[in-house]
Amino acid sequence: MGGSGFDMGVGLVVAETELSVSELVDVSAALLIVRRSSCSVVWSTDLTLDKALSLPAYPGQVGIRPVTLNWGANTPQERGPIIVSRHPSALKIRQVNAVGSYGGSYCVYRALAVAIGALEPTHLPNLENTTPPVAIGPHPQWNDPSKIVSIDPYGHVVADAFADQIRAGTDIRPSIAVTKAHMTLEEMTTAVRQGRIQVDGRVVINERGDVNVAKAAVEPVWYLPGVAARFGIDEATLRRALFEETGGMYPELITRSDLKVFLPPIGGLSVYIFGNPEYLSDPTKKLTARVHDECNGSDVFGSDICTCRPYLIYGIEECVKEAQRGGVGVVVYFRKEGRALGEVTKYLVYNARKRQEGGDTAANYFLRTENIAGVKDMRFQALMPDVLHWLGITKIDRFMSMSNMKYDAIVEAGIEIRERCAIPDDLIPADSHVEIEAKIASGYFSTGPAPTTTSLEAVKGRSWDDISH
Ligand SMILES: [Zn+2]
């Protein structure tokens, strides 16, 4: 950083490099003053930009023609495409009708690719042969603007529904992709070998236990009035917090209250379907479901401090069995690492738990997280049931989760849960009894006796004494 004079108070100040911009956004105390003129701006670093910036438009500006977007409309055409493209064609006529970028959190890598010259900013995706091989919907839930507020129910049919506009050069991208796959998991191989799962050639296709699935990847698309309503807050409060707490990343959140849809730069979710996907919305077919929040340490790397992978695998096995009985199974996998606090916070908590006086006990399990993060959980399951509505699910016969937060959110969304299935004791890793007992004490579903203060203090995790490098 080679600049002299860096005024933190005003944002864009001082004079070393001249920068021509068509609109200059001056963020001060969350108040945006948009000036429309060619300005001489002083950049506070040695950064040299020779192109005009495309900063957000503002209401009342001449030539703004956002494409109509009616959230909850009956067809994708009536609803309208979601356009957040930075493509010159979209910016020129200011047809952008949402805030953010395509690609979820990966929009930042896209920005990097453009910055280093690896990607032409004008590149348009070729969507030939990318449409879903299995149908999802449409379902009546898609037409209730309050039922689905955090994903675009038409996100997977974009290439067909808006084919004409795409052919005409408008940059409209899918936020959902659906595909098919075979899964090979060591646990399934073992389950087949031990006779718990049979090879049927349809769901489990061979002696290795390979499982036939349909799957979907879903990026977040937030309808801000609906998200605000879901949490019982007003839209302005939500927009302001999103703007401020992301370091002012999206000025349109507060300059363009006419744009109601936001594509946040956060992780999305994956859906794995076992059996016929059409059965998900068929109330005469039994449904087994697990909603799983990412835990990289356990899910992928086998860490034994929690029950995440064992419960996930148990959920998959039960979904496979349900599909083989003529029903259907679904696992939804959310990228909400470490209760949406992230893995850095999670590891800090692990350290604090292991080092605290008296050792790692179930009694203090949530307290350590709260000390560090300020809250014990930021997953806020209220948005989670959207994907179940997208799949057309109206009831769950067997819910493979003990979480009271997930249960409450799903039931409040109007989806009946008929049976809750706890993880079997023999699948709980030794060091994760601290987690599971603390969760049961906080309200998680369990068929065992309720834990007491004394019993929670007695549930201790491993110390670090057995680890030496
Ligand atoms: Zn875990």
Side-chain angles (χ1 to χ4, degrees):
M1 307 295 253
S4 56
F6 187 60
D7 186 338
M8 295 297 288
V10 193
L12 297 176
V13 203
V14 191
E16 221 174 58
T17 310
E18 288 213 339
L19 176 68
S20 181
V21 294
S22 56
E23 293 102 11
L24 165 62
V25 179
D26 174 0
V27 183
S28 183
L31 175 70
L32 273 137
I33 304 159
V34 185
R35 303 179 195 125
R36 190 156 190 257
S37 61
S38 184
C39 305
S40 282
V41 183
V42 181
W43 218 241
S44 56
T45 70
D46 54 2
L47 186 70
T48 304
L49 296 175
D50 56 3
K51 280 191 261 175
L53 290 173
S54 296
L55 287 175
Y58 56 95
Q61 184 182 5
V62 176
I64 286 200
R65 293 202 302 276
V67 169
T68 306
L69 208 168
N70 299 308
W71 195 262
N74 286 332
T75 65
Q77 289 80 9
E78 287 171 58
R79 203 286 307 277
I82 290 167
I83 305 176
V84 291
S85 174
R86 309 299 298 171
H87 195 269
S89 64
L91 291 170
K92 202 167 130 204
I93 59 167
R94 304 212 177 275
Q95 61 183 177
V96 170
N97 62 10
V99 182
S101 302
Y102 295 123
S105 57
Y106 297 101
C107 69
V108 180
Y109 284 106
R110 184 176 180 278
L112 185 58
V114 170
I116 65 175
L119 173 65
E120 280 297 323
T122 53
H123 172 78
L124 289 172
N126 178 346
L127 297 174
E128 192 182 353
N129 289 333
T130 62
T131 53
V134 295
I136 306 285
H139 298 295
Q141 292 92 323
W142 297 10
N143 310 132
D144 179 339
S146 68
K147 271 213 153 99
I148 299 178
V149 300
S150 62
I151 60 181
D152 173 8
Y154 300 115
H156 57 314
V157 297
V158 160
D160 284 337
F162 305 113
D164 291 345
Q165 291 99 314
I166 292 171
R167 211 173 297 120
T170 307
D171 184 13
I172 305 169
R173 304 189 185 193
S175 61
I176 299 177
V178 181
T179 189
K180 296 199 284 190
H182 288 174
M183 271 170 49
T184 304
L185 285 167
E186 198 189 320
E187 289 91 338
M188 289 300 122
T189 308
T190 306
V192 169
R193 200 179 303 133
Q194 294 178 344
R196 289 202 309 280
I197 284 188
Q198 310 305 317
V199 178
D200 65 342
R202 184 178 60 92
V203 184
V204 178
I205 54 179
N206 56 30
E207 290 298 323
R208 194 170 60 179
D210 289 357
V211 178
N212 198 7
V213 292
K215 61 182 187 175
V218 182
E219 284 165 0
V221 176
W222 287 8
Y223 175 58
L224 292 170
V227 172
R230 195 69 68 82
F231 289 104
I233 58 172
D234 64 83
E235 187 189 335
T237 302
L238 174 65
R239 296 179 81 111
R240 180 171 176 149
L242 287 170
F243 171 71
E244 291 187 326
E245 298 303 323
T246 55
M249 208 168 180
Y250 300 100
E252 291 110 320
L253 285 168
I254 53 177
T255 61
R256 293 291 304 273
S257 57
D258 59 320
L259 302 184
K260 297 298 185 188
V261 171
F262 175 45
L263 278 61
I266 58 173
L269 63 93
S270 306
V271 178
Y272 281 78
I273 302 165
F274 305 83
N276 187 342
E278 286 174 19
Y279 290 178
L280 289 169
S281 57
D282 182 346
T284 69
K285 303 290 182 186
K286 284 260 169 67
L287 168 62
T288 289
R290 171 157 176 85
V291 175
H292 186 94
D293 293 322
E294 178 176 26
C295 173
N296 184 267
S298 172
D299 295 343
V300 179
F301 289 97
S303 166
D304 69 344
I305 200 169
C306 55
T307 55
C308 299
R309 181 177 171 96
Y311 217 152
L312 176 63
I313 297 291
Y314 178 55
I316 291 171
E317 188 173 321
E318 291 303 309
C319 284
V320 165
K321 288 177 182 167
E322 191 72 89
Q324 291 187 325
R325 288 192 295 262
V328 61
V330 67
V331 172
V332 184
Y333 189 93
F334 280 88
R335 298 313 188 297
K336 289 182 186 168
E337 175 61 63
R339 294 190 220 128
L341 299 168
E343 212 170 31
V344 169
T345 297
K346 186 180 194 173
Y347 289 7
L348 297 175
V349 171
Y350 287 163
N351 287 352
R353 279 173 54 188
K354 295 293 182 189
R355 286 183 178 132
Q356 69 192 321
E357 206 175 315
D360 182 18
T361 67
N364 286 331
Y365 173 78
F366 286 113
L367 182 66
R368 300 310 302 149
T369 307
E370 262 184 278
N371 287 161
I372 291 166
V375 292
K376 65 179 180 184
D377 199 317
M378 288 205 301
R379 285 174 292 182
F380 306 120
Q381 300 288 353
L383 300 176
M384 172 270 286
D386 285 14
V387 63
L388 306 178
H389 288 316
W390 177 64
L391 294 166
I393 291 170
T394 55
K395 56 90 189 128
I396 294 169
D397 294 279
R398 301 186 74 228
F399 186 49
M400 310 304 298
S401 167
M402 293 156 74
S403 166
N404 53 326
M405 291 167 287
K406 289 174 188 164
Y407 175 87
D408 291 346
I410 291 170
V411 171
E412 273 166 33
I415 296 169
E416 184 192 351
I417 292 178
R418 293 179 178 163
E419 185 193 350
R420 300 162 80 176
C421 303
I423 184 171
D425 279 344
D426 61 340
L427 294 181
I428 301 174
D431 197 39
S432 67
H433 282 281
V434 171
E435 176 217 299
I436 202 78
E437 289 300 320
K439 285 180 169 177
I440 290 168
S442 79
Y444 268 47
F445 170 76
S446 167
T447 50
T452 63
T453 309
T454 321
S455 73
L456 284 178
E457 280 169 359
V459 179
K460 270 197 178 187
R462 207 182 44 234
S463 75
W464 272 345
D465 295 344
D466 57 342
I467 303 169
S468 59
H469 295 287

